[in-house]
Amino acid sequence: MKMIPILLICPMLTCVSSALAGDLKALPNQAGNNDIDLQGTVLIVRNDIKLALDGPDLPPEYIAVRMKVTPKSGAPLRISPDDFTLLSRKNGERSPALSPNQIAGGGTVLMVKPAANQPGGDGTTANGPIWGGVSLGRRSSTNSNTAPSVHTENRDGDAPMVKLLAAKALPDKDIKDAVEGLLYFAMDGKLKPKDLSMIYQGPAGKLVIDFK
């Protein structure tokens, strides 16, 4: 029987492995690059939110996302809730991560809804400027109905709730090791995790997590 040199087999295996690696798709609920790994879980069921907060619940128009952030480069990486935006693939609505004070501190909450006849998806308002953490789409020169609506709502303050939300929140700091915490968002309507995507845009680049 004729023997095939091992040196001929190894390159073939390497090529097959490389081809398979190229076919790998992004896994649901996570995203990453050379600098950062992100893992998230959407908390929509009210009891899941209560468990995450050790008792209290958020108002019904709010949902939470448990986010784990792992830096990979070895250098300090700045992480902040301001790096994250939640997008509804169902209707194009998006919400920046809200501070505990915006939810329970008597502050003003801004909710941005998509324009009429504007398709959903990551490109819905991605070209608009971001002011004060709220993404505003540019008005089209050919259609005056493309501007998103902005709803302003004032809330009564609840200092103990602010402290609790802050204690559970994803930290805003430089990190060298993995951290985990909650992000809070305002979203209308009945949604399922599969309807939502998380957009990260920060010092480690831009990533999108599709939830399942």
Side-chain angles (χ1 to χ4, degrees):
M1 185 176 65
K2 202 173 200 179
M3 301 296 292
I4 300 176
I6 190 68
L7 292 177
L8 295 179
I9 296 176
C10 291
M12 291 172 61
L13 293 176
T14 301
C15 292
V16 172
S17 299
S18 299
L20 291 176
D23 291 337
L24 292 178
K25 296 181 180 180
L27 297 175
N29 306 323
Q30 57 186 289
N33 57 28
N34 292 333
D35 297 316
I36 193 172
D37 274 337
L38 302 173
Q39 292 178 291
T41 303
V42 180
L43 305 178
I44 294 178
V45 178
R46 307 321 301 178
N47 191 55
D48 290 343
I49 296 176
K50 288 182 180 181
L51 290 174
L53 293 175
D54 293 331
D57 192 5
L58 294 176
E61 65 270 29
Y62 294 104
I63 63 177
V65 175
R66 186 186 300 279
M67 184 63 59
K68 181 179 181 181
V69 180
T70 305
K72 297 169 64 177
S73 68
L77 176 67
R78 186 70 185 183
I79 190 71
S80 169
D82 292 340
D83 299 335
F84 297 90
T85 301
L86 192 65
L87 170 69
S88 169
R89 299 197 299 270
K90 190 174 183 180
N91 59 17
E93 184 178 354
R94 60 176 59 203
S95 169
L98 302 174
S99 70
N101 194 64
Q102 285 177 296
I103 297 173
T108 299
V109 176
L110 299 179
M111 290 182 284
V112 180
K113 297 184 178 182
N117 301 322
Q118 189 177 50
D122 186 20
T124 300
T125 57
N127 293 326
I130 298 177
W131 298 320
V134 179
S135 177
L136 300 177
R138 289 192 176 93
R139 184 181 299 272
S140 170
S141 60
T142 59
N143 187 349
S144 61
N145 295 322
T146 59
S149 62
V150 181
H151 174 64
T152 305
E153 186 173 348
N154 293 316
R155 298 196 172 277
D156 296 329
D158 184 352
M161 187 65 172
V162 171
K163 292 181 180 179
L164 176 60
L165 294 177
K168 299 290 185 178
L170 188 73
D172 185 345
K173 65 178 184 179
D174 292 333
I175 62 171
K176 294 186 70 174
D177 299 309
V179 296
E180 188 172 347
L182 297 177
L183 296 169
Y184 311 108
F185 302 92
M187 279 282 170
D188 285 337
K190 294 183 178 180
L191 298 168
K192 298 179 181 179
K194 67 179 182 179
D195 298 324
L196 300 169
S197 292
M198 177 78 76
I199 302 170
Y200 164 83
Q201 193 159 10
K206 181 176 181 180
L207 295 167
V208 177
I209 298 176
D210 291 329
F211 295 108
K212 300 294 183 184

